[in-house]
Amino acid sequence: MPARTAPPILETVASAIPKAFEQAQNTTANHQKNFIALHKIHVEAAAKTEEVRGGQGTKLVGERAFEDCFVDMINRVLTIKKGTSVADRSVKFVGGYIKYLNAKEKVKNEDNADDEDEDEEPTATRFTYRLLKHLLKGFEAKDKNVRYRVVHFVAEIVLQLGELDEDMYNTLRAALMERVRDKEPVIRVQAVAALAKVCGSEDPEDLDEDEPTAREVLEDILAHDPSADVRRSALLNTAVTAASLPAVLARTRDLDTTVRRLVYGSVLLRDADVPDDAPPGAAHPRALTIAQRELIVRNGLGDREPAVRAAAGKLVGAWVDAVGVGKKGEVLEDLLAFLGTFDLRESAVVEDALLSVFVTRVDVFDALEFDEDYWGGLTPEKAFLIRVFVDHCVSAKETARLEKVLPVVTALAFRIQEAYNTLLDAITAAEESGEDDEASDEREFVLAELLRLALNLDYADEIGRRRLEQFVRHMIAQEALPAGLVARCLDVLRTLSSSERDLIRIVVEVVHELRDANDDDENELMADDPDTTVDGSATAAPRAPRGPKPPGEMTPEERARADAMDVRCLDLCIGMLERVNGTFEENSTLEGILGELIVPAVKRKELVLREKGLVCLGLCCLIARRMALNSFQLFLSQVQAAPEVLKLRVLQVVFDVLMVHEGDFLANASVGVRRVIEFLLQVLGNEESDKVQALICTGFAKLMLSGMISDERVLTSLALIYLSPDTAENQELRQCLSYFFPAIFLPVYDQLSKGYKELEEDQEMVSPAQVCGMFLDWTDPQKAVELHDQTADPMVHMDMAAAILRALFDQDLPKDDKKVLCQALGKLYLPPETDDDDKVRTLKLLVHNLRARRPPRDVAARSALVKFDTALSKRFERQLADFDEEEYRTLESLKSLFEFLDDIVPLDDSDEEEEAPRRRGPGRKRRSESVTTDATSEADERARTPPRGKNGKARSKRRRTSQSDDEDDDDTVGGSPPVSAAPTRSMPRRAA
């Protein structure tokens, strides 16, 4: 009987599939050709069937052979680690073939819609489900490479799928929910992408009551996953909806630059570039709230990275087109519509957004033109646009465009007068109606923008300058002028005044007029006839004021009005003093308002008057040295019992006075200086207000960065409060101190490490490893900023290395802390060369004796110490060429070091054997008694003595070894896996 031969199609399958994979792994250019060839073979194989059970069933012989061979090719890829290009191309090839196969199946179903048997499962579906079921078996694999590849395959396949049946959906969802918590970041990246695709249309009602939805899981990963790559994957695969938008916007403050850039340049930009006929998405500028738009602009344009700022600027530029009228050439209308999406009166970021449009959209800036009709009926958007446009032209030195846009001084003076009269009418109408009138707020904003625009005018026209000065002076003398316009008016007066003394004279005159009760009728007449304010008349000579009536002679209405006048006068004084740079003695006019207005206000019980009075007094102290010395104790006495609002202002005054009069308060390390520091530290430690804590820390940071104080207690207190879990929510404080810290490490690290181990369940805190990393970054001399011509000390990390090595000799130091400190040694900056041979020898002696006498028990710590020793010897090969410990003992400079080393009792062999795996049977081990540089009592020694067994010997410890082979190769020495570090945050348990 002749030998049985295989059917030709089965032979073709066995040879064609390996050939296709071999070609596909080399380049993606031939993938399409292999898709076509494989599909042809797949169709032929699917047609090969056999009848079973007497014709009652059909066996898919050819299809099964094709699937088996295809699965075999996939299995060959599963063990290959990430980053291998041939394996990555194979994964893409499989995903592409699934897409091609389903597309062909869809076309076939459309052509045979009438003849299709609904009960028959398509070939493409059977093939896809066979691959998914096979790959799901590897989700729990011990090998991380296998887990990565199977999840990668599934992620590629599900991207090409349409609908899934319920069983496959539930199985796939459950498996991916486990993999998004895998301990390997690369696996979580692929699992997140697959989960977002599979559960894109998930219905929460189909889930159990306590079961989290896929969206909630993805948002949690987006916010809390420690890997930037995983957060990036979650960001790109999370559908932006009204529910998920807050989580996406929170990533504008992500630690990773790429994640922040993708928020602007990819996720938010997609909804801004939608076609006109498409419905706007959740991130469309018109769909966003005002607060969300401001958040995007503030965080994006204020980011420290240029790439993020560029992406945010591109997004803001796209918003102009997205909210515009859509007509070609209507640039002005588009910009006004863009400004209409913000609250110009409350927001401080709109100007940044508009300036960004001018820079990134040069076509928009060049197309802007402002004709005479533009000035008629100014709206807040129009006034804001013209003012920012002029400011940008001034900064960019666009002189030609400025000449076309800016009006003459006289014309602008009349426009300011018109805007002021309109404002008074709106205020009067609002008072008569008894309701808050939005029109008055809009008129106030328009007037403020015109006053800011006046700062950029050319005042060569003396007549126009005098008219504008007269009218602005008249404005600040009116009770009806809103308080928000006082500062704008003073800015204009400072520009128009010939000197500071002239500005002070004008303000003092106005203060006297407001406080003089006999001038009421005259002021009202001037308010009724505002045209008299631009007649060019000279300023009247000042006369001695009569002053207000005594409080006992006033009615309640008169007292309330007098208090309101005092508040207005104090506002004028504050604005004036903020714009004065001369000394108090040079401006004797200030003596009058100091005694008549400021000092009485400080003594008042009303909080508003006392606060403004203290601020005025503090500003006077900045320009009057003697007054500062006499009044400083007054400010300190106001800190403890004052309410939060007043305490904030007084502390600002205290720190400003300390910095301005450094020579009188901080130059000498006197008892008074120490008492002031102790007092402020006491307030910081007892204060519960986040704002007050942030203010004190900011003040101390400024004093220390400027070199005015160098108290170690301040530095230690700032580090402790920065890393304390109690200040976790005080972002202002942490933002300030994150830019501050100089070198202080071990004392703070020790306290924070102890605090970390004593955390309660509901508290969170940075881990000791993160604390160590922050201190290393803060003290890196390569990142130091030069201050007052001071250069960074390149040896600071060598000093830190010596301190760390000395601490590692302490046997009482916990094992986890030793591991962290040893690993920190490898991150220290060692200068390429140094002339300080003693520091080099000190480090070498410390490392040499530590390895010989007190080597770390942890394998990873010991490995890090060896690497540091090698790097040290290599970097300073010249200084350590003739290393001889006995010779170094003769050096006087190393005498104290050898006294420290001689007190160290080395560990015996039995202690070192604890590193090895425990042998079978009882082992006899003992621990040498701890001997440190500090004297310890016998009670402490007994407390550190390990527990004894029945035979009186110390019990040995069994090392816990990992059951997975997924540990990184860099962390293992001699085949022993390292002990896993404590997690840095609370996360759901990750599977193997």
Side-chain angles (χ1 to χ4, degrees), residues 232 235-236 248 251-270 299-300 303 305-315:
R232 194 178 310 145
L235 175 67
L236 295 177
V248 173
R251 292 304 93 207
T252 58
R253 305 296 292 174
D254 195 277
L255 295 176
D256 184 66
T257 303
T258 305
V259 173
R260 300 197 304 273
R261 178 176 57 82
L262 288 175
V263 173
Y264 300 101
S266 179
V267 178
L268 298 178
L269 190 61
R270 284 199 300 260
N299 293 346
D303 197 278
E305 295 294 337
V308 181
R309 294 198 299 270
K314 183 179 179 181
L315 173 66

Side-chain angles (χ1 to χ4, degrees), residues 500-502 504 580-591 623:
E500 284 186 357
R501 183 171 298 180
D502 190 27
I504 295 173
V580 170
N581 295 318
T583 63
F584 194 88
E585 291 75 11
E586 293 174 352
N587 300 282
S588 57
T589 316
L590 296 174
E591 292 283 356
I623 59 176

Side-chain angles (χ1 to χ4, degrees), residues 144 235 288 370 389 438 441 498 510 646 813 914 955:
K144 65 179 180 182
L235 175 67
L288 298 171
F370 304 94
F389 180 85
E438 186 177 353
D441 295 336
S498 58
V510 171
L646 185 58
L813 191 66
E914 293 188 10
R955 295 185 215 155

Side-chain angles (χ1 to χ4, degrees), residues 632-648:
F632 192 73
Q633 189 60 39
L634 170 65
F635 295 123
L636 294 181
S637 65
Q638 296 287 328
V639 172
Q640 288 182 322
E644 180 181 354
V645 176
L646 185 58
K647 187 180 295 185
L648 288 171

Side-chain angles (χ1 to χ4, degrees), residues 104-292:
K104 287 291 185 180
E105 194 70 40
K106 182 178 180 181
V107 173
K108 178 182 176 181
N109 293 338
E110 292 176 354
D111 295 340
N112 303 324
D114 298 335
D115 302 334
E116 184 179 4
D117 185 1
E118 295 182 359
D119 296 334
E120 183 180 354
E121 195 174 37
T123 301
T125 302
R126 290 195 299 268
F127 178 74
T128 303
Y129 283 9
R130 168 74 190 281
L131 292 186
L132 288 176
K133 290 177 181 178
H134 175 73
L135 293 170
L136 286 172
K137 297 176 183 178
F139 270 44
E140 300 292 337
K142 185 179 179 181
D143 190 340
K144 65 179 180 182
N145 294 326
V146 175
R147 294 201 309 277
Y148 167 71
R149 286 300 171 189
V150 293
V151 177
H152 194 184
F153 270 117
V154 170
E156 284 289 335
I157 292 173
V158 298
L159 290 176
Q160 320 302 337
L161 295 181
E163 296 182 355
L164 293 172
D165 63 43
E166 187 173 354
D167 293 338
M168 177 56 71
Y169 171 81
N170 292 332
T171 303
L172 197 56
R173 182 184 185 279
L176 291 173
M177 282 290 191
E178 288 289 330
R179 287 309 99 208
V180 295
R181 301 301 184 187
D182 195 282
K183 63 182 179 182
E184 298 296 335
V186 292
I187 299 175
R188 301 201 299 275
V189 168
Q190 301 298 334
V192 164
L195 180 64
K197 171 62 178 176
V198 171
C199 304
S201 58
E202 182 180 64
D203 188 359
E205 295 182 358
D206 297 336
L207 303 176
D208 296 336
E209 183 177 355
D210 297 332
E211 185 176 4
T213 63
R215 180 181 64 83
E216 293 172 347
V217 172
L218 291 175
E219 289 180 2
D220 179 72
I221 293 172
L222 182 61
H224 301 116
D225 197 285
S227 172
D229 293 334
V230 180
R231 298 197 302 274
R232 194 178 310 145
S233 177
L235 175 67
L236 295 177
N237 291 283
T238 299
V240 181
T241 62
S244 63
L245 184 60
V248 173
L249 295 183
R251 292 304 93 207
T252 58
R253 305 296 292 174
D254 195 277
L255 295 176
D256 184 66
T257 303
T258 305
V259 173
R260 300 197 304 273
R261 178 176 57 82
L262 288 175
V263 173
Y264 300 101
S266 179
V267 178
L268 298 178
L269 190 61
R270 284 199 300 260
D271 284 354
D273 290 338
V274 295
D276 296 336
D277 55 346
H284 191 275
R286 291 200 180 277
L288 298 171
T289 65
I290 293 179
Q292 288 172 338

Side-chain angles (χ1 to χ4, degrees), residues 893-953:
S893 58
L894 300 180
K895 181 179 179 181
S896 61
L897 173 63
F898 280 105
E899 291 177 353
F900 168 78
L901 293 176
D902 291 341
D903 289 337
I904 303 299
V905 176
L907 299 176
D908 55 23
D909 295 339
S910 61
D911 290 303
E912 296 179 0
E913 288 175 1
E914 293 188 10
E915 291 296 334
R918 184 175 179 178
R919 300 177 181 177
R920 294 183 179 179
R924 295 187 176 183
K925 300 178 184 177
R926 63 184 179 87
R927 184 192 303 269
S928 61
E929 295 184 0
S930 173
V931 180
T932 60
T933 55
D934 298 330
T936 55
S937 64
E938 294 182 4
D940 291 337
E941 290 293 338
R942 288 195 297 270
R944 287 193 295 267
T945 303
R948 300 283 174 175
K950 294 181 179 180
N951 56 0
K953 300 297 183 179

Side-chain angles (χ1 to χ4, degrees), residues 567-830:
V567 171
R568 167 53 59 85
C569 294
L570 289 171
D571 287 335
L572 286 171
C573 292
I574 291 174
M576 173 194 65
L577 292 170
E578 288 176 343
R579 291 160 177 79
V580 170
N581 295 318
T583 63
F584 194 88
E585 291 75 11
E586 293 174 352
N587 300 282
S588 57
T589 316
L590 296 174
E591 292 283 356
I593 60 172
L594 176 65
E596 296 176 7
L597 177 65
I598 298 177
V599 174
V602 172
K603 299 178 180 179
R604 294 289 294 270
K605 295 181 179 180
E606 292 82 2
L607 180 61
V608 176
L609 288 169
R610 187 151 56 102
E611 176 190 349
K612 294 183 180 297
L614 286 170
V615 173
C616 282
L617 182 60
L619 290 171
C620 290
C621 290
L622 296 182
I623 59 176
R625 170 182 169 275
R626 184 174 301 175
M627 189 185 304
L629 293 173
N630 296 332
S631 305
F632 192 73
Q633 189 60 39
L634 170 65
F635 295 123
L636 294 181
S637 65
Q638 296 287 328
V639 172
Q640 288 182 322
E644 180 181 354
V645 176
L646 185 58
K647 187 180 295 185
L648 288 171
R649 303 308 298 268
V650 174
L651 285 172
Q652 289 175 346
V653 171
V654 168
F655 283 110
D656 287 345
V657 169
L658 288 176
M659 283 189 279
V660 171
H661 301 290
E662 174 196 2
D664 298 297
F665 289 98
L666 303 174
N668 300 320
S670 61
V671 177
V673 176
R674 292 196 295 270
R675 288 179 178 176
V676 170
I677 293 176
E678 289 175 359
F679 173 77
L680 293 175
L681 287 177
Q682 182 182 2
V683 175
L684 177 62
N686 299 331
E687 185 58 47
E688 297 180 356
S689 170
D690 289 348
K691 293 183 179 179
V692 175
Q693 285 182 339
L695 176 61
I696 296 176
C697 289
T698 303
F700 274 135
K702 291 179 179 179
L703 291 174
M704 296 202 75
L705 285 176
S706 59
M708 295 182 182
I709 62 173
S710 57
D711 196 307
E712 184 178 346
R713 296 171 300 170
V714 176
L715 196 59
T716 304
S717 298
L718 292 182
L720 289 174
I721 197 172
Y722 173 64
L723 298 171
S724 171
D726 297 331
T727 61
E729 303 299 327
N730 194 344
Q731 296 301 319
E732 183 180 358
L733 180 147
R734 295 205 167 191
Q735 180 73 12
C736 166
L737 295 184
S738 63
Y739 289 94
F740 160 69
F741 283 102
I744 179 173
F745 179 51
L746 286 175
V748 175
Y749 175 84
D750 181 59
Q751 295 185 44
L752 291 171
S753 179
K754 293 177 181 177
Y756 182 79
K757 297 170 184 175
E758 298 173 357
L759 282 180
E760 298 179 1
E761 293 182 357
D762 58 343
Q763 288 183 314
E764 293 185 1
M765 182 179 175
V766 292
S767 67
Q770 290 175 310
V771 172
C772 186
M774 285 188 288
F775 273 104
L776 295 183
D777 183 66
W778 293 336
T779 56
D780 190 346
Q782 301 176 96
K783 301 179 181 180
V785 179
E786 293 188 7
L787 295 172
H788 301 292
D789 300 327
Q790 298 177 2
T791 57
D793 182 8
M795 307 297 291
V796 63
H797 269 193
M798 293 191 69
D799 295 335
M800 182 176 286
I804 291 175
L805 290 169
R806 286 174 179 266
L808 289 172
F809 279 96
D810 186 4
Q811 279 188 295
D812 294 335
L813 191 66
K815 182 179 179 181
D816 291 340
D817 290 342
K818 283 189 177 182
K819 179 179 178 181
V820 171
L821 294 177
C822 285
Q823 291 175 340
L825 291 171
K827 302 175 184 178
L828 294 172
Y829 169 73
L830 300 178

